[in-house]
Amino acid sequence: MTNIAHIGGENGFLPSSSETYGDLFDAVTPARPGEMLDAPLDQPLVLDLDRTLVRTDLLFECLAAALARNPLVILFAIFWLMQGKAVLKRRLAQAAALDLDRLPVNEAVVALAAREAARGRTIVLATAADELMAHRIARRFAFISRVFASDGTVNLKGAAKARVLRQAFPGGFVYAGDSHADLAIWREASEIVAVGAGAATLKAARALGKPMLAMPGTGLSGAVLRKAIRMKQWAKNALVFAPVPLAGLVFDMSAWGHALVAFLALSLIASATYLVNDLFDLADDRQHWTKRNRPLASGALRIEYGLVLVPVLALAGFGLAAAAGLKVLAVVALYTVVTLGYSFGLKRVAILDVTTLAGLFTLRLFLGVIAIGVVISPWLFVFSMALFLSLSIAKRHTEVVRAALHGKAKLAGRGYVARDEPLLLAMGMGAAMSAIVLFTLYLTSDAARHAFYSAPNFLWVTPVALFLWLGRVWLKSQRGELDDDPVAFALRDRPSLVLGGMLGLGFLFAAFGGPLMSAVGL
């Protein structure tokens, strides 16, 4: 019993309306031998919910949603847990405002259930999640005819669930579950469906000697973890290294070492804040055409793992920052406060959101200055603010353009509507031109004063390359072809990489080209 056919949307996001499932049976591909359950059709297929029918866990979904509304709910959660897990689930179900229609589902399990329902088998949902949630989720699936769930008093898990199912279906049943706790139910079942179960659980299930179908689930992997903490976004933190060459310390290994510690500290903190943002933004991300593929939103990374990773990464980051000195620690702490402020509210305020993002980029540059203890031209800070304001607006402009292409009048979780597109285009292009002008003013008034530049005229390649690159970014954004993140776009776009190489060569010749020019008589 393998090769279960998949139906539904990308990454487990099936249509949100229960009406969509009215014709679901007609969409199921015909089964080949070995793809159907062996149990008699009068025995129901009983589906677990958490990590089985859906790719996530309702308890932690509720906890994350409740924390997003009020972080102090964690204190109440501890008190509710002391009264019993069933009480905790009921209270969190009442406190959370979950969009259950957009929870990512396990497509293979849905396909199996739909096929078996089309054959005439009764499909039942039996879950330890609270019944307030279970009945609402069941309405998404036309094939579910009966629901068993925790009721605020009894936590329907393990032996308790096995007892209820044995009494409800004395003639036998097939049970689909995922965890070690489901072994108690599988002992009572006539046939086993193990969904994404671990090796130890699979071994124990096979030892029961019953017909068994092992189906894929989602497991923690290095790729998923790297995507969750957004290691690719660490490239943005490379701004911390910029003050080293700008201060003429290219060959100072101590300066590079101090900058590296600051970079790692900031990157770990940034990853922790990304996870916080994703945990509190699950509902909005699941409505987004690309963000719904993020590990937490898609169910590829368990919410409980995310909740653990946040303090681990934060403690490691602050530990490194403290080792680098109190000034570095203070800047990293400021970055954390501003980032969390952005995640908790500023990102929903139009214009202020992109200004905050630009400020965070400039704060990275300032951290590098503090880490190596130098002074750089204030022109570069102003230039940085204008440049990254343009890129931040480009990110939001792209989202607004794509939202309009998807027929949405408003950008979910942000303070923009489709009609804001011309305004964002004007502001973004204005900031881009300002950045070029500011760098030109730096060249004419300040760059030549620095002894580090032996041939500062080579820096004139910078405004040209910047104009070409920013023009390309905004052209792509206006056409709806830009990645949501312009920085990520630049890292894989060949023309952007070529222009970046021009900038690098211009800086190298500006710094070390003087002796070469003298040698050739120029």
Side-chain angles (χ1 to χ4, degrees), residues 123-436:
I123 310 298
V124 177
L125 180 65
T127 174
D130 190 82
E131 61 185 3
L132 297 179
M133 297 290 178
H135 284 285
R136 288 173 56 196
I137 288 180
R139 288 195 290 270
R140 285 184 64 182
F141 305 94
F143 49 70
I144 294 178
S145 59
R146 192 172 178 182
V147 176
F148 298 91
S150 299
D151 59 4
T153 302
V154 177
N155 185 37
L156 200 67
K157 186 174 183 178
K161 186 187 293 187
R163 185 166 52 252
V164 168
L165 294 178
R166 183 176 62 244
Q167 293 172 356
F169 308 112
F173 60 92
V174 181
Y175 181 73
D178 69 300
S179 69
H180 192 271
D182 291 319
L183 288 170
I185 302 105
W186 284 329
R187 291 190 185 96
E188 303 293 336
S190 56
E191 193 169 340
I192 297 170
V193 180
V195 182
T201 299
L202 282 175
K203 182 178 180 181
R206 290 193 180 100
L208 296 176
K210 299 179 179 182
M212 188 175 88
L213 169 62
M215 302 179 70
T218 54
L220 182 63
S221 67
V224 169
L225 188 59
R226 288 192 298 273
K227 188 176 180 181
I229 66 174
R230 303 195 209 177
M231 283 195 70
K232 288 184 178 180
Q233 299 291 345
W234 287 17
K236 297 176 181 178
N237 300 330
L239 275 171
V240 170
F241 295 106
V244 177
L246 291 174
L249 301 176
V250 174
F251 302 110
D252 189 331
M253 292 299 103
S254 175
W256 286 108
H258 289 308
L260 177 61
V261 173
F263 167 81
L264 292 174
L266 185 64
S267 296
L268 291 170
I269 292 295
S271 290
T273 58
Y274 285 141
L275 284 169
V276 170
N277 179 78
D278 290 353
L279 283 166
F280 288 178
D281 225 13
L282 287 171
D284 290 332
D285 285 353
R286 286 169 179 158
Q287 298 181 55
H288 196 276
W289 48 92
T290 57
K291 292 179 182 179
R292 68 179 188 174
N293 298 322
R294 288 176 175 175
L296 286 168
S298 67
L301 179 70
R302 297 190 179 195
I303 291 176
E304 54 267 42
Y305 293 167
L307 291 170
V308 171
L309 279 171
V310 168
V312 170
L313 292 169
L315 286 173
F318 280 120
L320 281 175
L326 291 179
K327 291 183 179 180
V328 171
L329 179 61
V331 176
V332 169
L334 176 61
Y335 174 90
T336 305
V337 170
V338 175
T339 302
L340 292 177
Y342 174 82
S343 296
F344 290 144
L346 297 181
K347 66 183 178 183
R348 293 178 174 84
V349 182
I351 310 303
L352 182 58
D353 63 335
V354 291
T355 306
T356 303
L357 289 175
L360 288 171
F361 275 104
T362 304
L363 197 56
R364 292 174 170 96
L365 183 64
F366 182 66
L367 176 62
V369 170
I370 294 298
I372 64 175
V374 296
V375 176
I376 63 174
S377 172
W379 281 106
L380 293 176
F381 286 106
V382 182
F383 160 73
S384 170
M385 192 68 189
L387 173 64
F388 291 111
L389 180 61
S390 179
L391 295 179
S392 299
I393 296 174
K395 175 182 174 68
R396 203 64 76 230
H397 178 266
T398 297
E399 293 178 337
V400 169
V401 169
R402 289 194 176 183
L405 291 175
H406 285 75
K408 296 183 178 181
K410 188 178 186 301
L411 197 60
R414 299 295 185 267
Y416 299 93
V417 297
R419 289 180 297 174
D420 293 332
E421 184 271 330
L423 172 65
L424 290 171
L425 176 63
M427 291 179 59
M429 287 299 299
M433 296 304 103
S434 297
I436 295 169

Side-chain angles (χ1 to χ4, degrees), residues 36-210:
M36 298 178 290
L37 298 177
D38 295 328
L41 287 176
D42 60 354
Q43 294 186 4
L45 169 60
V46 181
L47 305 174
D48 188 19
L49 179 60
D50 297 328
R51 313 301 304 182
T52 301
L53 180 60
V54 298
R55 289 179 163 187
T56 185
D57 188 305
L58 264 291
L59 173 60
F60 291 102
E61 286 278 348
C62 289
L63 179 60
L67 286 172
R69 297 179 67 183
N70 180 10
L72 294 179
V73 80
I74 190 65
L75 302 177
F76 293 99
I78 295 172
F79 174 71
W80 295 332
L81 181 59
M82 293 172 62
Q83 300 176 59
K85 206 165 185 179
V87 174
L88 173 66
K89 292 176 179 179
R90 170 57 58 89
R91 295 296 189 184
L92 286 177
Q94 293 171 333
L98 284 184
D99 184 357
L100 299 179
D101 285 344
R102 294 192 181 273
L103 291 180
V105 302
N106 190 319
E107 295 172 337
V109 174
V110 172
L112 172 66
R115 179 179 295 119
E116 291 299 315
R119 294 176 63 203
R121 191 184 303 279
T122 299
I123 310 298
V124 177
L125 180 65
T127 174
D130 190 82
E131 61 185 3
L132 297 179
M133 297 290 178
H135 284 285
R136 288 173 56 196
I137 288 180
R139 288 195 290 270
R140 285 184 64 182
F141 305 94
F143 49 70
I144 294 178
S145 59
R146 192 172 178 182
V147 176
F148 298 91
S150 299
D151 59 4
T153 302
V154 177
N155 185 37
L156 200 67
K157 186 174 183 178
K161 186 187 293 187
R163 185 166 52 252
V164 168
L165 294 178
R166 183 176 62 244
Q167 293 172 356
F169 308 112
F173 60 92
V174 181
Y175 181 73
D178 69 300
S179 69
H180 192 271
D182 291 319
L183 288 170
I185 302 105
W186 284 329
R187 291 190 185 96
E188 303 293 336
S190 56
E191 193 169 340
I192 297 170
V193 180
V195 182
T201 299
L202 282 175
K203 182 178 180 181
R206 290 193 180 100
L208 296 176
K210 299 179 179 182

